[in-house]
Amino acid sequence: MTIPNMNVIDMYKTMLKIRKFETKAMNFFAEGKIPGFVHLYIGEEAVATGVCANLNDDDYITSTHRGHGHILAKGGDLKFMMAELFGRATGYGKGKGGSMHIADATKGILGANGIVGAGHNISVGAALSAQYRGTKQVCVCFFGDASTNQGTFHESLNMASLWKLPVIFICENNLYGISIHQSRHQAIKDISERAVSYNMPGITVDGNDVFAVYDAAKEAIKRAREGNGPTLIECKTYRQRGHFEGDPGTYKPAPEQEEWVKKDPIPRVEKFILNKKILNESQLKDIQQEIDIQIEDAVEFANNSPYPSLDSVIEDVYSDMKEEVRVR
Amino acid sequence: MKMTFLEAIKTGMDHEMKKNENVYILGEDVGPFGGCFGVTAGLFDKYGDKRVRDTPISEGAIVGCAVGSAATGLRPIAELMFGDFVTVAMDMIVNQAAKMRYMFGGKINLPLVIRMPIGAGVQASAQHSQSIEAWFTHVPGLKVVYPSTPEDALGLMMSSIEDDNPVIFFEHKLLYGMSTEVGDDIKPIPLGVAKVQREGTDVTVIATGKMVHNAIEASEKLAKEGISVEVIDPRTLYPLDKNTIFSSIEKTHKVLVITEEHKRGGYGGEISAMISEECFDDLDAPVVRVGALNVPMPYAPTLENVVIPNTQDIINGIKRMF
Ligand SMILES: Cc1ncc(C[n+]2csc(CCOP(=O)(O)OP(=O)(O)O)c2C)c(N)n1
Ligand SMILES: [Mg+2]
């Protein structure tokens, strides 16, 4: 499939945006400016980018603990994301959620998630809703290799296939669940094989090749929109950082790490853009600068944002009432 | 010798593994990685992959495997990475482990331990910070243990492993690094025996987990104001040592119950109801309960601080009774 130049440039921008946002988050975490858990997507940007480039604003996604990339690719706002990581009142969750719980209902982002395997089931519900209401919306479910050992994965694939629901299951096989290599958590290599049990197409693609991901997702999304049911796409990729910031990742063999860093998806796109003369070096620089500015703006926005008022802690538990404040 | 809370739990497991080759550990990343909090570090090297087993991310299967192997002669210790993830394994605990012995007419033993790190204070927000004691104290058939010091963690871990019933073993993540003296004579501490952490005469504070330390801090502050506080740590939530609690109340006539759970429906409510029911004549004031606000745990440190009960809340609660 040939991809229009416009889309190539857009995808490059998205990948870079994710990389630069997370590099900032990484540094802020190291400085102690961001507390809690931060799971980085560095090295895996091509997956979310290639998939989401095919989605409409009103399509849905479910995400994981490693959600920054999914959210940005689906149109999440850098400012509100950075503010949430900073625990500010202007953040997506008003400082109540943090990195692992960012959602944006206006963009169909049904939330990052702290529970491994929870998104599988939720995506089925969103797809059922689209089918029920007779819209042409689809839901993309992003999840990791190790999450496919939860019962929810199997339950969801079965139900989605049985009811021909418009779900696209995107497995990000980054070879690890925390410290456990894939060969130590399941007896198969290609997770796409599991599609056979549920009578849906299952394919494996190079998850560090944004165009391969784009093409595969395009077809699966079309299939889902036309009412022909779900597809399982396995994207082979690699997490370049530790499981979360603070994990040195010593269980990853150095040669493996080096091999995958060589396959980093972003330089690959840059090379493609230059080779195909879609843009020249200086135009690429301009894009990089443009994104740097966006990131700086987001940091400034977050820094200048107020902390949540202490009263706000009892708000948002219910739609129609506030919790009692503790009597001190 | 001095030992951290984390080392104490490990030492308790190690002792039992040495004694009985049917004791084994299973859970996510518990092997060479040593567990998410490092509690099992070193045990893999010592006992190998047969007895320290890394599992896939499948909590239902982890606990189910513990149940099935306990029913057939082994003594599993299952680690859940965070207590919050137990929701995925709830059927195996509530409908299976807790009820099997009863349904089968007492003809089966289920010697298993499920370890769960719980509690807030590390900005891990709503799905990684909960205090979930009441989910389990409500279920007949389970024993529930919640130590507050390294020494207790060690001895209670040994007893939990030696127990022939399913035991839920809670560990507050903020206590892992706490280091105190542990007697050289390592031995099990029986389940169902409370510990008076500090003696006093004016008011009884019943505290669990990390809140025991807040209660001790409150008692030190109040001592300066002339209020003498007795701090009791039940150590096991079930079986519950009523005697120690009741004899303290006979002396002080006032009680405050402090737990880190959401106040609504927490186990602290059960303890205070029990006291009102059974010690009414000894009470000079209604039982005061202190707990977390009834909201999911927020992420921002400023908000989290408001939700978690603290030492000042205990002091204020006590003063309300005078
Ligand atoms: C139910 C549940 N179990 C365990 C965890 C702890 N945990 C968080 S991420 C993770 C590994 C997930 O691996 P994978 O699905 O491959 O995603 P990746 O981190 O590689 O992106 C684990 C075990 C959790 N958050 N929820
Ligand atoms: Mg993975």
Side-chain angles (χ1 to χ4, degrees):
Chain A
M1 233 181 286
T2 48
I3 301 170
N5 287 353
M6 262 273 286
N7 294 12
V8 172
I9 297 169
D10 277 348
M11 286 196 276
Y12 174 63
K13 284 183 180 174
T14 301
M15 289 167 69
L16 209 55
K17 203 183 198 183
I18 300 168
R19 176 70 56 94
K20 285 180 181 281
F21 174 86
E22 290 207 311
T23 306
K24 266 276 180 271
M26 177 177 94
N27 294 334
F28 284 141
F29 184 88
E31 291 165 23
K33 268 197 105 155
I34 295 176
F37 287 113
V38 175
H39 303 81
L40 297 182
Y41 196 57
I42 290 177
E44 308 183 40
E45 295 91 342
V47 180
T49 303
V51 172
C52 291
N54 290 292
L55 293 179
N56 303 328
D57 249 11
D58 67 347
D59 287 326
Y60 301 110
I61 64 164
T62 61
S63 173
T64 65
H65 53 286
R66 201 175 301 290
H68 304 148
H70 310 142
I71 295 158
L72 285 170
K74 187 64 176 62
D77 189 303
L78 285 169
K79 290 197 183 72
F80 303 147
M81 284 180 68
M82 195 60 90
E84 186 61 24
L85 299 197
F86 276 48
R88 303 301 168 106
T90 53
Y92 265 118
K94 304 182 194 166
K96 288 172 176 162
S99 162
M100 256 191 307
H101 305 290
I102 295 175
D104 183 347
T106 67
K107 295 274 163 53
I109 299 166
L110 301 176
N113 209 311
I115 300 299
V116 170
H120 304 138
N121 287 352
I122 295 170
S123 71
V124 171
L128 170 69
S129 161
Q131 187 191 61
Y132 188 100
R133 290 179 285 112
T135 69
K136 290 280 171 205
Q137 291 162 289
V138 300
C139 182
V140 168
C141 175
F142 290 105
F143 53 92
D145 49 300
S147 83
T148 64
N149 302 316
Q150 286 285 37
T152 51
F153 171 78
H154 300 273
E155 294 162 5
S156 297
L157 263 69
N158 182 56
M159 203 183 271
S161 180
L162 182 70
W163 292 344
K164 284 205 177 336
L165 297 177
V167 194
I168 302 87
F169 293 101
I170 304 289
C171 178
E172 305 177 319
N173 184 354
N174 62 11
L175 278 183
Y176 287 89
I178 308 192
S179 75
I180 310 289
H181 189 269
Q182 190 200 0
S183 59
R184 294 180 56 234
H185 74 63
Q186 53 195 193
I188 54 169
K189 266 198 157 146
D190 292 337
I191 294 170
S192 60
E193 285 174 12
R194 291 194 170 171
V196 175
S197 318
Y198 305 104
N199 191 23
M200 70 173 77
I203 53 171
T204 294
V205 298
D206 176 354
N208 282 21
D209 176 352
V210 71
F211 307 123
V213 175
Y214 178 91
D215 288 346
K218 191 178 187 74
E219 186 165 336
I221 290 168
K222 179 164 176 278
R223 195 179 124 81
R225 268 198 223 291
E226 287 171 355
N228 296 318
T231 303
L232 171 61
I233 301 175
E234 174 191 19
C235 305
K236 304 267 196 202
T237 181
Y238 196 73
R239 139 165 81 71
Q240 292 184 11
R241 303 285 304 166
H243 172 66
F244 42 50
E245 287 311 282
D247 165 20
T250 42
Y251 45 82
K252 294 194 289 181
E256 179 188 275
Q257 170 87 10
E258 281 157 28
E259 182 203 331
W260 278 96
V261 168
K262 277 192 211 133
K263 293 193 260 184
D264 189 311
I266 294 180
R268 276 169 82 170
V269 180
E270 284 170 351
K271 214 182 271 169
F272 178 89
I273 290 175
L274 293 173
N275 283 348
K276 296 271 168 193
K277 302 206 170 10
I278 299 171
L279 297 173
N280 61 32
E281 293 267 7
S282 95
Q283 285 167 314
L284 277 185
K285 284 254 150 52
D286 288 346
I287 289 179
Q288 289 156 10
Q289 264 170 20
E290 175 194 321
I291 289 167
D292 281 335
I293 291 168
Q294 288 175 23
I295 305 281
E296 282 314 319
D297 286 350
V299 173
E300 198 181 312
F301 174 81
N303 259 328
N304 293 337
S305 291
Y307 287 100
S309 79
L310 297 189
D311 291 341
S312 73
V313 81
I314 53 166
E315 293 165 3
D316 302 320
V317 184
Y318 298 99
S319 64
D320 56 351
M321 55 189 216
K322 284 188 193 177
E323 268 304 336
E324 275 177 85
V325 193
R326 181 163 67 236
V327 187
R328 287 184 188 263
Chain B
M1 79 206 99
K2 251 195 141 108
M3 214 183 256
T4 62
F5 197 90
L6 188 149
E7 285 162 348
I9 295 168
K10 188 196 339 219
T11 305
M13 296 194 292
D14 190 9
H15 266 261
E16 296 297 321
M17 289 178 83
K18 226 178 289 166
K19 256 197 318 218
N20 184 342
E21 63 179 24
N22 287 333
V23 177
Y24 77 100
I25 295 174
L26 77 169
E28 293 160 16
D29 299 271
V30 297
F33 194 62
C36 193
F37 293 97
V39 178
T40 56
L43 293 179
F44 178 86
D45 288 339
K46 199 159 172 184
Y47 294 104
D49 61 2
K50 180 180 172 196
R51 298 185 65 194
V52 183
R53 305 177 82 96
D54 274 322
T55 66
I57 307 177
S58 312
E59 285 79 8
I62 293 169
V63 177
C65 195
V67 173
S69 60
T72 50
L74 303 187
R75 305 188 88 85
I77 307 168
E79 170 175 310
L80 296 182
M81 192 177 286
F82 284 74
D84 310 65
F85 309 156
V86 72
T87 47
V88 180
M90 216 52 179
D91 179 65
M92 285 297 140
I93 299 177
V94 177
N95 283 321
Q96 312 304 329
K99 296 179 173 56
M100 271 177 149
R101 180 185 185 79
Y102 190 76
M103 297 187 299
F104 300 168
K107 290 179 190 150
I108 196 170
N109 283 339
L110 283 175
L112 66 98
V113 179
I114 304 173
R115 294 186 33 237
M116 301 192 209
I118 59 170
V122 293
Q123 293 84 53
S125 67
Q127 295 172 342
H128 289 72
S129 302
Q130 296 170 87
S131 286
I132 53 178
E133 298 90 286
W135 296 0
F136 301 97
T137 51
H138 187 61
V139 180
L142 302 176
K143 295 190 180 179
V144 183
V145 178
Y146 195 5
S148 68
T149 64
E151 183 161 31
D152 288 351
L154 201 171
L156 290 168
M157 177 51 78
M158 293 174 77
S159 288
S160 299
I161 298 169
E162 290 174 16
D163 203 282
D164 278 337
N165 302 281
V167 177
I168 306 294
F169 197 95
F170 288 123
E171 302 161 11
H172 197 294
K173 17 179 133 64
L174 283 189
L175 293 181
Y176 278 137
M178 169 193 185
S179 177
T180 57
E181 205 56 41
V182 170
D184 286 333
D185 176 26
I186 290 176
K187 58 173 189 300
I189 296 172
L191 306 189
V193 181
K195 184 164 174 184
V196 179
Q197 289 284 5
R198 189 185 158 103
E199 289 190 19
T201 50
D202 298 332
V203 55
T204 301
V205 172
I206 301 164
T208 62
K210 177 182 164 285
M211 289 299 136
V212 172
H213 303 285
N214 293 80
I216 291 170
E217 193 184 23
S219 70
E220 282 160 4
K221 289 190 171 162
L222 286 169
K224 295 189 191 119
E225 300 182 28
I227 300 178
S228 162
V229 181
E230 179 144 301
V231 179
I232 295 179
D233 174 5
R235 303 195 291 189
T236 54
L237 308 185
Y238 199 81
L240 182 67
D241 179 358
K242 289 186 184 186
N243 285 340
T244 301
I245 294 173
F246 291 170
S247 9
S248 175
I249 296 170
E250 280 168 23
K251 176 170 70 175
T252 63
H253 309 294
K254 294 185 182 65
V255 196
L256 178 141
V257 184
I258 164 83
T259 58
E260 197 185 297
E261 320 155 281
H262 303 302
K263 189 168 163 183
R264 186 200 318 139
Y267 189 57
E270 170 63 22
I271 296 177
S272 73
M274 181 194 79
I275 293 167
S276 304
E277 219 169 41
E278 301 188 37
C279 307
F280 189 74
D281 292 339
D282 286 316
L283 291 174
D284 282 350
V287 181
V288 174
R289 257 189 313 153
V290 180
L293 288 189
N294 297 323
V295 304
M297 198 54 68
Y299 161 72
T302 47
L303 296 183
E304 193 185 29
N305 271 337
V306 177
V307 176
I308 308 171
N310 57 37
T311 303
Q312 191 58 42
D313 294 329
I314 300 172
I315 293 173
N316 295 348
I318 289 175
K319 287 190 171 166
R320 289 219 311 270
M321 289 185 276
F322 285 89

